[in-house]
Amino acid sequence: MDPFMKAAYKEALTGLEEGGVPIGSVLVHKGRIIGRGRNRRIQQGSPILHGEMDAYTAAGRLPASVYRECVLYTTLSPCMMCTGATLLFKVPKVVIGEEVNFVGGSDLLREHGVEVTVLDEPELIAMMRKFIEENPTLWNEDIAE
Amino acid sequence: MDPFMKAAYKEALTGLEEGGVPIGSVLVHKGRIIGRGRNRRIQQGSPILHGEMDAYTAAGRLPASVYRECVLYTTLSPCMMCTGATLLFKVPKVVIGEEVNFVGGSDLLREHGVEVTVLDEPELIAMMRKFIEENPTLWNEDIAE
């Protein structure tokens, strides 16, 4: 697995151990991880703390010029909120671990010129499928269904 | 001014007193405010804490059925991140205080069937205009420009 996606996966696994939704993300600037995050909606009781949002938070306040050189790695297709944040920050590249279990805003990202790569990693697909099967209510809450 | 927009305005003024970006929001469910928020990017050092995100956070984890009956009031046109969050939660109505100083994702909201009302309140327009004129760097950071 790509090393940055592996780092996002590791965040997802930490989330799972904490009793959270196993989605992890890392923000990469010039080959270096500057923000790591995982979905902590359950852990922090926050509806906005998806993995991507947590990674953006961890990276802190950045100049626009830094965002423009970043790549966001996330284990699952980003929902509309995380898609919107990525468009706000104008991050030009997003690498998605899988979008078999959920398809978020990847088309909207592409429409705005973001380069989107979907890896569909078997390990990530299996992890998320198992979580959704075992926790349908928690998962549905995550996507407000 | 509409009482809910007035509550959002009060949040914006509190933010201004704290040295923050004066944008406030309230989430209203069946005529009752269930979440109040203001842009706290500067106060909390968080790039994702726009007024709307802060209000969604304050409202806590809600069932999808509650979001479907909510109205979001926000003093300024919501950026793409806050637009995306509103689409994720499927909040059906958004009331925008003004979009003279900034136009965010109101068209995207409408495309997704959200009922959008723009008030263009003179007090809100004046407050934001003054802030942007006096703090161009802080404002540009808020919209990653």
Side-chain angles (χ1 to χ4, degrees):
Chain A
M1 199 185 292
D2 171 283
F4 294 125
M5 188 53 71
K6 207 165 180 172
Y9 181 31
K10 200 177 156 191
E11 286 293 318
L13 291 174
T14 301
L16 195 60
E17 281 166 24
E18 293 168 343
V21 183
I23 305 171
S25 308
V26 296
L27 188 65
V28 174
H29 181 245
K30 293 187 171 180
R32 198 172 64 85
I33 295 174
I34 59 169
R36 295 170 195 263
R38 54 186 177 275
N39 186 307
R40 294 197 292 163
R41 184 166 49 81
I42 295 165
Q43 297 93 311
Q44 301 283 324
S46 165
I48 70 165
L49 264 195
H50 281 191
E52 299 89 333
M53 305 302 278
D54 196 39
Y56 282 130
T57 302
R61 289 169 56 186
L62 299 173
S65 59
V66 173
Y67 286 121
R68 304 280 197 290
E69 298 170 329
C70 280
V71 185
L72 177 72
Y73 287 78
T74 185
T75 57
L76 186 67
S77 187
C79 79
M80 283 303 273
M81 171 175 65
C82 300
T83 294
T86 302
L87 293 175
L88 167 67
F89 298 134
K90 301 179 189 72
V91 170
K93 290 187 190 183
V94 175
V95 182
I96 297 172
E98 65 112 340
E99 53 179 31
V100 171
N101 288 295
F102 174 72
V103 180
S106 42
D107 278 347
L108 189 64
L109 288 170
R110 288 187 195 99
E111 278 169 33
H112 282 80
V114 177
E115 187 185 321
V116 177
T117 307
V118 180
L119 301 177
D120 278 343
E121 287 282 351
E123 277 176 279
L124 300 178
I125 296 169
M127 174 183 65
M128 204 61 212
R129 178 173 292 147
K130 187 167 183 287
F131 180 83
I132 293 172
E133 279 173 8
E134 292 175 357
N135 306 276
T137 308
L138 282 177
W139 167 246
N140 282 337
E141 186 193 322
D142 213 56
I143 52 170
E145 288 291 348
Chain B
M1 199 183 294
D2 171 284
F4 294 126
M5 189 52 72
K6 206 165 181 172
Y9 181 30
K10 199 177 156 191
E11 287 293 318
L13 291 174
T14 302
L16 195 60
E17 281 166 24
E18 293 168 343
V21 183
I23 305 171
S25 308
V26 296
L27 188 65
V28 174
H29 181 244
K30 294 187 172 181
R32 198 171 64 85
I33 294 173
I34 58 170
R36 294 170 196 264
R38 56 186 175 273
N39 186 306
R40 294 196 293 162
R41 184 166 49 81
I42 294 165
Q43 297 94 311
Q44 301 283 322
S46 164
I48 70 165
L49 263 195
H50 282 192
E52 300 88 332
M53 305 303 278
D54 196 39
Y56 282 131
T57 302
R61 288 169 57 187
L62 299 172
S65 58
V66 172
Y67 286 121
R68 303 282 198 287
E69 299 169 330
C70 280
V71 184
L72 177 72
Y73 288 78
T74 185
T75 58
L76 185 68
S77 188
C79 79
M80 283 303 273
M81 172 175 65
C82 301
T83 294
T86 302
L87 293 175
L88 167 67
F89 298 135
K90 300 178 191 72
V91 170
K93 290 187 190 182
V94 176
V95 182
I96 297 172
E98 66 112 338
E99 53 179 31
V100 171
N101 288 295
F102 175 72
V103 180
S106 41
D107 277 347
L108 188 64
L109 288 170
R110 288 187 194 99
E111 278 169 33
H112 282 80
V114 176
E115 188 186 320
V116 177
T117 307
V118 181
L119 302 176
D120 278 344
E121 287 282 351
E123 277 177 278
L124 300 179
I125 295 168
M127 173 182 66
M128 204 61 212
R129 178 172 293 146
K130 187 168 184 286
F131 180 84
I132 293 172
E133 278 172 8
E134 293 175 357
N135 305 274
T137 309
L138 282 177
W139 167 245
N140 282 336
E141 186 194 321
D142 212 57
I143 52 170
E145 288 292 348

